[in-house]
Amino acid sequence: MAERLRILRASDLDGTLDMRDVLALIERAFAERGLGRTEMPPKSYLHFPSHQGVLLIMPGNLPQLEQAAVKLINVHTRNPVEHGLPTLIATVVLISPETGEPLCIMDGTYVTGMRTGAVSGVATKYLARKDARVLGIVGAGFQGPFQLDAVRHSMAVDEVLVADLVLERARKLAERARGFGLKARACETVEEVVRGCDVLVTATPSDHPIVKDDWVHEGMHINCVGTYAKGKQEIEGAILTRAMVVVDDWEQASHAGEINVPVTRGEFDRSGVYAELPQIVAGLKPGRTDDSAITVFDTTGLAIQDVVTAWQAFQVAKERNLGFIIDPLYT
Ligand SMILES: NC(=O)c1ccc[n+]([C@@H]2O[C@H](COP(=O)([O-])OP(=O)(O)OC[C@H]3O[C@@H](n4cnc5c(N)ncnc54)[C@H](O)[C@@H]3O)[C@@H](O)[C@H]2O)c1
């Protein structure tokens, strides 16, 4: 029977997901990928140079879960100033594996925030020291709260340190952490955060390294979230050469992730990568085994993360009758 099409705006989705559920879903999706049971063609790009824009097309299919979707996400840097629009606008189309029908079209901003936070949480679970207590976050923009919410479930946090170019944003995120009952403070410098933490998240759009090798100590775990394009980099390349490096996907990471600049310069190659996170989650390789190791996780964001997160939001939306429903587009 033909399915009707559910439309979900950002305002319908906010608050539909519990981070603990999303952490479990991301772990499941990564296990599926590690076992070779996902389909995820490489991201495709459309370029709009005259508008300083790019559109990414991200398809993903998890046959064991009967879930498929395509995410469209752009980066148009002039949007806020020239058009009063966000830089990033994400849309997810959920596809029925059985019939190919689109079942739902949803705003993808919230899903992107939740799934990006959750993958740092999963990486922290497998790669951070068990006695890690201080969480550092550099970059307190849109991603900041999602990173905080996810990683706090994956380690026993005593204190949160936050830095941002805009100190007020760091203060706000620290306040949010205090709202979870955690000790937290905004720091004046990135150095203070890095030197003082056990687990670090970098979530800035910086195009040059803002984390210096000198500041990084033994036993630390770093989730590199911010780098999304060729030529960008948040941590000094020297850190990679003394760390156990884990990527979400070699192809994506070597082209557009934290490792892309050292790879392009010939300073780092695939032999320097310990594993892809899906291999660790699937149990094919161990996570951290040495308390003194520095671990670095380079995440570029996989379409399968969007698929499982968006499907969960869709289920909740159906239960709560959120959004609105229209006849199938082909009628
Ligand atoms: N890996 C993934 O899957 C994934 C997913 C979503 C977003 N991202 C990337 O994560 C980054 C952050 O995304 P967002 O949506 O939070 O962006 P945002 O613009 O909302 O926030 C970025 C924050 O970083 C701060 N910042 C910039 N440069 C800094 C510096 N040198 N030192 C300290 N703070 C600095 C800014 O002041 C801002 O508050 C972006 O580069 C984005 O493309 C990655």
Side-chain angles (χ1 to χ4, degrees):
M1 197 179 72
E3 290 276 358
R4 301 187 77 204
L5 178 62
R6 188 174 293 266
I7 312 289
L8 295 166
R9 298 189 196 92
S11 54
D12 299 316
L13 290 161
D14 202 18
T16 46
L17 297 172
D18 183 306
M19 185 54 87
R20 280 161 300 198
D21 295 339
V22 181
L23 283 162
L25 290 167
I26 296 297
E27 210 167 343
R28 174 72 199 275
F30 273 51
E32 288 295 316
R33 180 145 186 86
L35 296 171
R37 299 196 300 217
T38 61
E39 187 182 9
M40 201 184 69
K43 287 178 186 174
S44 302
Y45 295 80
L46 295 180
H47 299 90
F48 314 109
S50 59
H51 302 288
Q52 279 180 24
V54 61
L55 180 77
L56 282 69
I57 302 129
M58 301 173 62
N61 179 20
L62 292 104
Q64 306 294 315
L65 277 63
E66 281 280 299
Q67 295 180 352
V70 180
K71 182 166 88 170
L72 306 172
I73 183 164
N74 73 317
V75 184
H76 274 66
T77 49
R78 289 190 203 152
N79 268 3
V81 171
E82 293 186 7
H83 304 289
L85 291 172
T87 305
L88 271 69
I89 300 168
T91 306
V92 185
V93 183
L94 270 59
I95 304 293
S96 160
E98 192 183 354
T99 64
E101 288 171 289
L103 301 177
C104 177
I105 300 176
M106 68 170 70
D107 177 77
T109 316
Y110 175 66
V111 162
T112 302
M114 290 296 281
R115 62 71 139 162
T116 306
V119 79
S120 293
V122 172
T124 300
K125 172 177 166 181
Y126 287 93
L127 297 174
R129 290 167 63 129
K130 295 292 168 242
D131 62 354
R133 293 289 177 270
V134 183
L135 167 61
I137 300 179
V138 176
F142 178 75
Q143 261 306 314
F146 295 104
Q147 295 293 325
L148 167 66
D149 197 18
V151 179
R152 79 189 172 95
H153 289 302
S154 302
M155 61 182 273
V157 179
D158 277 348
E159 188 176 14
V160 181
L161 307 177
V162 191
D164 193 288
L165 275 183
V166 183
L167 189 59
E168 194 44 41
R169 291 188 192 151
R171 288 203 179 109
K172 237 176 132 181
L173 191 58
E175 197 180 307
R176 189 181 172 93
R178 286 193 290 276
F180 293 131
L182 304 171
K183 209 168 117 191
R185 67 190 161 88
C187 299
E188 300 272 344
T189 64
V190 173
E191 180 175 358
E192 194 182 346
V193 172
V194 178
R195 285 194 188 275
C197 73
D198 304 313
V199 171
L200 177 69
V201 174
T202 57
T204 77
S206 182
D207 54 9
H208 62 277
I210 54 171
V211 176
K212 305 258 179 270
D213 183 34
D214 272 359
W215 308 339
V216 173
H217 52 83
E218 281 192 354
M220 225 174 134
H221 170 63
I222 309 176
N223 293 304
C224 298
V225 176
T227 300
Y228 65 90
K230 220 173 176 44
K232 291 192 180 285
Q233 196 177 12
E234 289 185 290
I235 69 171
E236 281 190 339
I239 300 167
L240 300 177
T241 55
R242 62 187 183 111
M244 173 178 160
V245 178
V246 175
V247 298
D248 55 4
D249 177 87
W250 163 256
E251 287 305 323
Q252 287 195 185
S254 56
H255 286 98
E258 185 57 42
I259 62 173
N260 91 81
V261 172
V263 167
T264 305
R265 288 189 187 141
E267 295 162 3
F268 188 83
D269 62 25
R270 193 164 190 163
S271 66
V273 174
Y274 166 72
E276 291 182 331
L277 187 61
Q279 295 176 297
I280 296 177
V281 176
L284 306 177
K285 279 194 163 184
R288 171 183 288 267
T289 49
D290 173 1
D291 269 356
S292 67
I294 295 163
T295 49
V296 171
F297 173 53
D298 177 0
T299 173
T300 50
L302 304 186
I304 54 169
Q305 294 169 234
D306 297 300
V307 175
V308 293
T309 310
W311 272 80
Q312 175 70 7
F314 175 51
Q315 296 306 333
V316 174
K318 282 199 291 190
E319 284 159 27
R320 298 185 193 168
N321 201 21
L322 301 174
F324 62 95
I325 297 176
I326 59 173
D327 283 335
L329 298 180
Y330 56 78
T331 56

